[in-house]
Amino acid sequence: MLKQPKKISEETAHQNQWWSYKHDVFEDSEGKKSDYYYGEARGSTLVIPILPDGRVVMVSRFRYLADGRQLEFVRGNMHDGETPLDAAKREMREELGCEAVEMVNIGVFRPLVSHWKDTCHVFLVDIDAISTPTSDEEENLEAVIHRSDEIDERARTNSITDGMTLAAWAMARSHFIQTDNK
């Protein structure tokens, strides 16, 4: 069995309100020291809102690094002291202006485990309707409503390229199969 590397030191090279850029020095199984650089966040939530008729609400928003609009699920970073459930509820209010009728945490994933230390909590959320978002920030987003088969098609044809959305949909898809077959 391979010996796990041992962390020698850790420093924060940069920090902002959303995440930190870290530098660790570690020692491998043969005693060689190496550097490791990565981003670290407090955690995030991703919400898959479901309307009473079974359609799913997504958001289209401009993403600077993609240089264009991306089709995504509602999501955001957790604030200090905030639970995943509280963060998911806040994101629903901020991005869609709605409250959850029922919320179920269907699991977690790590968005980019080789370069990013973060955990995303995924929620399926029943909602009655969407309303006016409460966000103070200009998020430049628009609600987009799809059936689950339309989301599958968009994922298959690369109309959805956001990795967090694709990962969450892979986790949630089995919850829609039962609905689709009724």
Side-chain angles (χ1 to χ4, degrees), residues 91-105:
E91 289 297 331
M92 291 287 297
R93 284 188 301 276
E94 288 178 0
E95 295 189 14
L96 297 178
C98 64
E99 297 290 331
V101 173
E102 183 178 344
M103 298 184 83
V104 177
N105 186 329

Side-chain angles (χ1 to χ4, degrees), residues 164-179:
M164 290 181 73
T165 295
L166 293 168
W169 187 243
M171 294 171 68
R173 185 63 187 103
S174 65
H175 297 272
F176 291 87
I177 291 171
Q178 299 162 343
T179 306

Side-chain angles (χ1 to χ4, degrees), residues 15-34:
Q15 187 167 355
N16 60 44
Q17 66 183 359
W18 301 283
W19 56 275
S20 300
Y21 182 56
K22 300 280 193 100
H23 168 227
D24 288 1
V25 176
F26 68 94
E27 187 176 274
D28 68 16
S29 60
E30 298 181 10
K32 180 184 173 198
K33 290 184 180 176
S34 296

Side-chain angles (χ1 to χ4, degrees), residues 40-130:
E40 181 175 41
R42 288 183 294 271
S44 60
T45 60
L46 186 144
V47 179
I48 302 173
I50 306 164
L51 292 165
D53 64 4
R55 292 180 302 157
V56 177
V57 182
M58 302 182 80
V59 292
S60 171
R61 74 174 83 210
F62 181 82
R63 290 293 189 186
Y64 179 81
L65 295 179
D67 194 26
R69 297 194 73 77
Q70 295 287 299
L71 190 58
E72 308 171 355
F73 290 120
V74 170
R75 71 166 183 251
N77 293 324
M78 292 168 44
H79 295 173
D80 282 334
E82 196 172 41
T83 68
L85 181 62
D86 290 339
K89 289 177 180 180
R90 177 181 46 74
E91 289 297 331
M92 291 287 297
R93 284 188 301 276
E94 288 178 0
E95 295 189 14
L96 297 178
C98 64
E99 297 290 331
V101 173
E102 183 178 344
M103 298 184 83
V104 177
N105 186 329
I106 61 169
V108 299
F109 68 91
R110 290 178 170 76
L112 187 58
V113 75
S114 60
H115 294 75
W116 199 253
K117 190 174 184 180
D118 189 24
T119 301
C120 181
H121 302 263
V122 181
F123 291 86
L124 284 180
V125 181
D126 290 330
I127 61 172
D128 287 332
I130 55 177

